[in-house]
Amino acid sequence: MSSALDRLKHLTNKISGYETARKQNLKILQKLFGELDIDKKVAKFEDLFHFKAVNLSGVSLNEENLGTIKKGKYLQILAIDYDKNAIKKSKNISLAYFGRVENVTTELKEKVVEFVIRYRFEKSFMTLEHYHDMLNRFGQENE
């Protein structure tokens, strides 16, 4: 009984931690949304999540070399939009352009990388909620 209770407490703490991290993430993400002038391309913060994904050029997002610049490239935040009725289904939209990556300050580069990672963190929660809601359509069977 004690181990089941311990597992439940651990799970509850983990879920609570994720929700706290998510709320904090959204606050910082919204701040970066303004600081990086993305609000000039996307009128409302909430509309940012209508994009299929957000990516970046000029800097690595791989965990092993996160933030490493790609010389000769341009630092840019790109949104991937999807239109199922169009001939070309997806298209890249520039949300922010910062010029050659070698000329960008380390501080700005780090904010751009942070913005993309924070966006993806929130988007993953939204995806999880979406599929959870879809599973509810199947009902629940007792095992």
Side-chain angles (χ1 to χ4, degrees):
M1 174 86 170
S2 177
S3 69
L5 185 58
D6 289 340
R7 285 195 312 265
L8 181 60
K9 284 180 184 177
H10 176 73
L11 181 60
T12 303
N13 288 338
K14 198 170 195 174
I15 291 169
S16 175
Y18 282 141
E19 274 306 308
T20 302
R22 184 179 184 188
K23 286 178 185 173
Q24 184 65 21
N25 182 64
L26 275 171
K27 284 181 192 175
I28 297 169
L29 183 62
Q30 191 160 17
K31 181 180 171 216
L32 290 169
F33 177 77
E35 285 180 15
L36 296 172
D37 293 330
I38 296 168
D39 55 353
K40 292 180 179 173
K41 292 274 187 144
V42 180
K44 293 188 314 192
F45 176 71
E46 296 77 24
D47 292 344
L48 188 61
F49 300 102
H50 291 258
F51 294 114
K52 202 73 166 163
V54 168
N55 208 347
L56 129 88
S57 67
V59 176
S60 175
L61 288 175
N62 291 332
E63 189 173 354
E64 307 82 43
N65 50 5
L66 184 67
T68 303
I69 66 169
K70 299 175 183 176
K71 292 185 179 181
K73 301 286 185 177
Y74 298 92
L75 183 59
Q76 189 170 194
I77 298 174
L78 301 165
I80 293 96
D81 200 12
Y82 185 79
D83 182 356
K84 65 181 179 182
N85 298 319
I87 294 172
K88 187 175 179 187
K89 303 290 183 207
S90 65
K91 65 179 178 178
N92 289 346
I93 299 168
S94 177
L95 296 182
Y97 174 79
F98 305 100
R100 289 193 68 107
V101 72
E102 296 93 345
N103 300 331
V104 172
T105 66
T106 301
E107 180 185 5
L108 177 60
K109 178 193 71 157
E110 288 175 1
K111 282 184 179 185
V112 169
V113 171
E114 180 182 6
F115 175 83
V116 174
I117 298 297
R118 288 187 179 282
Y119 169 87
R120 290 179 176 186
F121 184 71
E122 176 57 25
K123 191 73 171 180
S124 68
F125 277 104
M126 292 177 166
T127 301
L128 179 67
E129 289 170 341
H130 168 74
Y131 284 108
H132 181 265
D133 291 345
M134 287 180 71
L135 283 173
N136 285 334
R137 293 181 185 176
F138 294 105
Q140 297 179 357
E141 294 181 20
N142 293 331
E143 291 183 18

